[in-house]
Amino acid sequence: MACDSATCGSSSCGSQEACCAPQKKPTGSQLVFCVKCKEGVVARVVANQSEPMCLGCLHASLLSKFKTAINNHSLVTPSDNVLLAFSGGPASRVALEFLREIRSKAQSDKDASRDQRSGLTVFGLGVVFVNEAAVLQVSSADAQLVEDEISSIVCAGSPRLETLHIARLEDVFKNELSQRLRALLESVQDMTGREDLIEYLRMQVLQQVAKEHGYTKLVLGLCTTRIAARVLAATAKGQGYSLPADIQYLDSRWPVPVVLPLRDCVSRELVLHCHIANLDTVFIRNLSTMADRSSSINNLAHTFVTSLQEENASREYTIVRTAAKLMPFSFNYSECPSTYLANRRRKDLLATNITPINNKEMSSSSGSEVLCPVCSSPLDMLDYCNSDTDRVSLEENGRHIDEEDVEYYGGSDRGIHSFTHQSIAFQTVCCASCRFQILPNVHTKGIQTYELLPGSMRERAQKQFKDKYSWMRHQIEDLLIEEDGAESQT
Amino acid sequence: MGRQMCELCKDRRAALIRPRNRQQLCQQCFFVAFENEIHKTIVDNRLFKPGERVAIAASGGKDSTVLAHVLTELNRRHNYGLDLFLLSIDEGITGYRDDSLETVKRNEIQYGIPLEVLSYKALYGWSMDEIVREIGRKNNCTFCGVFRRQALDRGAAKMKADKMATGHNADDIAETVLLNIIRGDIARLSRCTAIITGEEGALPRCKPFKYSYEKEIVLYPPSMYYLYSCVGTYSPNAYRGYAREFIKDLESIRPRAILDIIKSGESFRYALTTKMPEQGTCEKCGYISSQKWCKACVLLDGLNRGLPRLGIGRTRGKSSSATGIQTDNSSSDKQTSIRNDKRILKPSLDF
């Protein structure tokens, strides 16, 4: 989308958020009035579909969507300590604003209530920014400038109520310089894989910060537009099985659950709101800035969604609604589905995207999904069980295997001691998509990438590998004849 | 640097790069690989049984011509024991269909399998040219697609076929998956990746080319086929065009993305509360339908009554009983009575 905002110095900034200036106000004698408030207030913007609205009504509609999402799915409860992942863009800026608003309202409610019941608490709020300057090899002075700018945005205005945490992407490796990060990213040949890997590493850093400082919920500013692009990109990467996991309001596979209160807002209205409410945002370059639309699947999907939206304004909602009809995973529901159901009226439930499930189904899928160590997406068990280090599955991924190597890869009894084996073993517990786009050909740089990955990912993989083989062994235990000749009972 | 040798036989010079995996191959190795992959698809998915009478839906375009060729060849080479024939539909689009029909007639001679042609005019009383004159260019793809599907089924039933094979390739199916996600059609999304559809009905249809790339079908040139597709003539606004462009771009970034989309479509699991329409039969003609009347009957009724927008777009309230819909169409006053006399249409079909 062409951007005529003064802060963007190019004709096409290709940012993930549409940071363009909104439509100009109608000139001449055609004053358009806000369709929502009846007082004949002049409309400032045309948000959403085609309804002209004034600032107050746009604010009200966005805030109401935000609050509805939070209340219907219990995304933020008074006992939570909430951490907002702030990127500087319009969506997370609006999220910050709204979180502050509902927090201050809760605070004033609490102050106003005279009985001082001990149960009445207000949720805690913190903000985190992950500086990805190392990816683009930006000088440390420039990286510092970015951090200062973020600081000034978040800490602007009167009493500083939240703690601001600044982290860097290379923090995912404990105590190491950005060289390792650069080397890791360079070793990933596929551009889409590289972008996705950055995202997975970012989530690791966010989780680290959240855990370290005792937060209980992580808020992301993912809006409908980006989710729609994500749905299409995931479909194109063959991630149809795990797609529903990333697009629900709640995602509790992580140590600190991730929530998406802005899921029902499109990026256009968020940008417009920032503009007319004078909320400061900053645009930070990333790997896909100014990149060709065909440089990666993610970029392509995003451009495609934008072009669809221009043709039909409600297209993003339709795509997300379709994806919402796919079955979510057990970790997408809040902890106790039965009490949750009891507390909500049936009417509310039907209006939400949570499908009421019966207890029988819940117990069979109780939080025991196997996750990919790299991207944390749930693995399709059919794929997973067949992903062994056998020739067929590796060849499918475009690797050519020579005869000698087949012997070398061996079976489970070889264990995972030798180094080359570890990287092969690692691949067998990853999802097909990560195997293809992030872990390259085993003959050339596979070992290098494996070496460079963060320790946490490798540890998870090792545990999973052991689990997988012990599960398989457990299946055939009864059929193995003991060494002393005693047969087990059948 | 010398010319590359074929990666498979290492004997002949490489003549092409395979779109699927960018392997450099000589012509013979490519043909063999292509044919073997189709054979594997047919065997792994148990598409056919020996002795079956199979109708090959033939449009004269590249997919159906290559399908006719490959099926005839594999039938002979691997002894499938199938009784093959070509089935073609004449929509009545001047300039397009006449030429493609010539191609199909040529195929009949080349592959030695009999040909049966059915026309919209004979079946429904309307050719596509007449339909477009009536309704304009916006929704004609709906008419053509709905009518063709029924026409193929009727033709196959008339010729006593056990099964139908269509030339839908990987690109087509990937486009359909994307299209259904974009349009929010969850019911179609759940069915569109199946390699065999309509198994419970009288005439199952299968897609042997489900995993074959469109580019590879073009690269496999056993004979001349009619290259021009309908896209230029009547359908500049078809929604599928958006999805097609996206797929083309995707293919240039990552060729296997096309198969990955199909794989995603196959792996989608649907929430239990999602409402899917039930499949019943049309009251008027007995064809399979999720509503009271099948879409073809609804559209036809609209055409005959001079209400060309009947059946297009969403219906509000009760599900579409065609008689219940009131539209005030300005073109309806034109010679409605005369039209009703000419077209005596009540498509009857014994299934």
Side-chain angles (χ1 to χ4, degrees), chain A residues 190 192-193 231-241 243-244 293-297 300-301 304 307-308 311-312 315 318-319 322-329 355-358 361 369 380 383 396-397 400 432-433 436-437, chain B residues 7 21 23 174 177-186 189 237 239 241-276 314:
Chain A
D190 187 279
T192 311
V231 166
L232 296 181
T235 306
K237 294 174 199 165
Q239 296 170 336
Y241 179 83
L243 166 60
R293 146 192 103 118
S294 288
S295 57
S296 78
I297 294 184
L300 194 66
F304 186 54
S307 69
L308 285 178
E311 182 261 344
N312 180 339
R315 195 51 76 192
T318 311
I319 295 177
T322 313
K325 292 185 181 158
L326 300 175
M327 184 152 33
F329 294 88
T355 59
I357 50 172
N358 54 43
E361 194 190 318
E369 305 281 351
D380 186 354
D383 261 352
E396 254 173 39
N397 286 320
H400 299 285
S433 167
F436 172 74
Q437 64 180 15
Chain B
E7 286 183 33
N21 49 22
Q23 265 186 330
V177 169
L178 284 180
L179 206 58
N180 287 330
I181 294 178
I182 294 171
R183 285 175 45 213
D185 196 334
I186 201 84
L189 184 63
N237 300 315
Y239 215 84
Y242 279 106
R244 187 171 294 151
E245 222 189 282
F246 180 63
I247 300 248
K248 286 303 152 216
D249 290 332
L250 258 188
E251 199 183 359
S252 63
I253 302 177
R254 189 189 282 186
R256 65 175 257 170
I258 296 182
L259 293 181
D260 281 342
I261 294 180
I262 299 179
K263 178 176 163 215
S264 291
E266 289 165 346
S267 334
F268 285 151
R269 301 177 310 158
Y270 300 91
L272 297 172
T273 52
T274 308
K275 194 161 96 68
M276 304 273 200
R314 296 188 195 278

Side-chain angles (χ1 to χ4, degrees), chain B residues 13-78:
Chain B
R13 289 238 181 89
L16 51 88
I17 302 177
R18 259 200 103 165
R20 179 194 215 97
N21 49 22
R22 302 207 171 133
Q23 265 186 330
Q24 299 193 358
L25 302 178
C26 63
Q27 257 203 353
Q28 290 93 316
C29 287
F30 169 64
F31 289 167
V32 166
F34 183 74
E35 287 158 7
N36 283 343
E37 278 156 24
I38 312 275
H39 173 61
K40 187 169 190 302
T41 305
I42 292 177
V43 168
D44 286 351
N45 294 284
R46 299 196 213 127
L47 297 188
F48 303 118
K49 286 200 279 287
E52 270 181 338
R53 189 160 152 76
V54 177
I56 302 177
S59 63
K62 60 180 185 336
D63 297 322
S64 47
T65 305
V66 174
L67 181 66
H69 180 266
V70 172
L71 274 186
T72 315
E73 178 58 30
L74 293 179
N75 192 27
R76 182 193 63 78
R77 189 186 297 169
H78 298 280

Side-chain angles (χ1 to χ4, degrees), chain A residues 27 59 98 140 153 165 202 265 289 299 313 341 371 376-377 411 434 445 479:
Chain A
T27 50
H59 176 101
F98 286 175
S140 59
I153 293 177
H165 308 271
R202 184 190 313 140
C265 306
T289 307
N299 262 1
L341 288 175
L371 303 178
S376 297
S377 63
C434 286
K445 290 185 170 169
L479 306 167

